Amino acid sequence: DRAFGAETMMFAVRQRLLSLDDLQPFSSAALSNIAWAFARTMQAQPEIARPAMQRIDVELARRGLHRMLSKELSTLVWAFAKVGLSSASTFQLAIDELRSADLEAYSAQSLAMVAWSLETSYNHDDKVLTRLVEEVERRGLQGFQNRELNALLLALSKGAVDGT
């Protein structure tokens, strides 16, 4: 079974990450991809992914996120929200980055991932949400697929219902 094989591999990767003294050999992009893989593969059992994700959190918080590409940053925010780690330092640093990031560099998918992450984590950062709305309005809806529009609408409607 493919899913079982992926979970088995993620357990091995988790053990390896937790056993390493240092994560410096991994690029920030690689750590973002590893976080995505944990969140995607272990979504039914996020508690298994959390120790490795917390290790990634510590390393990326130490490095800072200011050099990450838009896709890496949005993937990272999504991964941390997916496993319920929106209080992690990296998630908060990413939100700080998004307050001033050039959103023109973000794909429709990346904007949707950020919106979904904010909605899922109940972290309704007014400045980021406002910037997302402005960017979507600037672009128009062309280039947004239905699921991306759905994620954007969920995040924005949640903020409207909550009064944020």
Side-chain angles (χ1 to χ4, degrees), residues 28-29 60 63-73 97:
S28 295
L60 289 175
R63 292 180 191 185
L65 306 179
H66 54 279
R67 292 190 182 142
M68 289 188 92
L69 300 174
S70 59
K71 182 174 181 169
E72 296 163 359
L73 194 63
E97 286 291 318

Side-chain angles (χ1 to χ4, degrees), residues 8-144:
T8 301
M9 187 174 82
M10 293 311 293
F11 277 110
V13 170
R14 175 182 175 250
Q15 289 310 110
R16 176 79 171 136
L17 278 177
L18 295 175
S19 71
L20 292 173
D21 291 333
D22 190 355
L23 296 183
Q24 280 187 339
F26 293 93
S27 69
S28 295
L31 292 174
S32 177
N33 289 335
I34 292 167
W36 177 87
F38 273 111
R40 179 87 168 104
T41 306
M42 307 306 285
Q43 60 187 323
Q45 302 170 2
E47 66 281 354
I48 294 170
R50 285 188 191 122
M53 297 282 288
Q54 289 167 332
R55 183 79 194 278
I56 291 169
D57 176 48
V58 169
E59 178 61 24
L60 289 175
R62 184 190 65 74
R63 292 180 191 185
L65 306 179
H66 54 279
R67 292 190 182 142
M68 289 188 92
L69 300 174
S70 59
K71 182 174 181 169
E72 296 163 359
L73 194 63
S74 60
T75 298
L76 198 59
V77 169
W78 178 88
F80 277 86
K82 188 76 172 170
V83 297
L85 288 176
S86 60
S87 63
S89 299
T90 300
F91 188 91
Q92 297 304 317
L93 287 170
I95 298 305
D96 290 345
E97 286 291 318
L98 287 162
R99 287 186 187 121
S100 60
D102 176 13
L103 295 183
E104 285 185 44
Y106 283 69
S107 68
Q109 181 183 17
S110 291
L111 293 174
M113 288 171 71
V114 170
W116 180 90
S117 302
L118 291 171
E119 187 274 328
T120 301
S121 67
Y122 302 104
N123 188 338
H124 298 285
D125 186 284
D126 289 339
K127 183 165 184 166
V128 174
L129 285 173
T130 299
R131 294 191 73 233
L132 285 172
V133 168
E134 291 170 353
E135 183 59 23
V136 171
E137 287 175 347
R138 186 191 69 74
R139 291 182 191 191
L141 298 180
Q142 301 83 341
F144 287 88

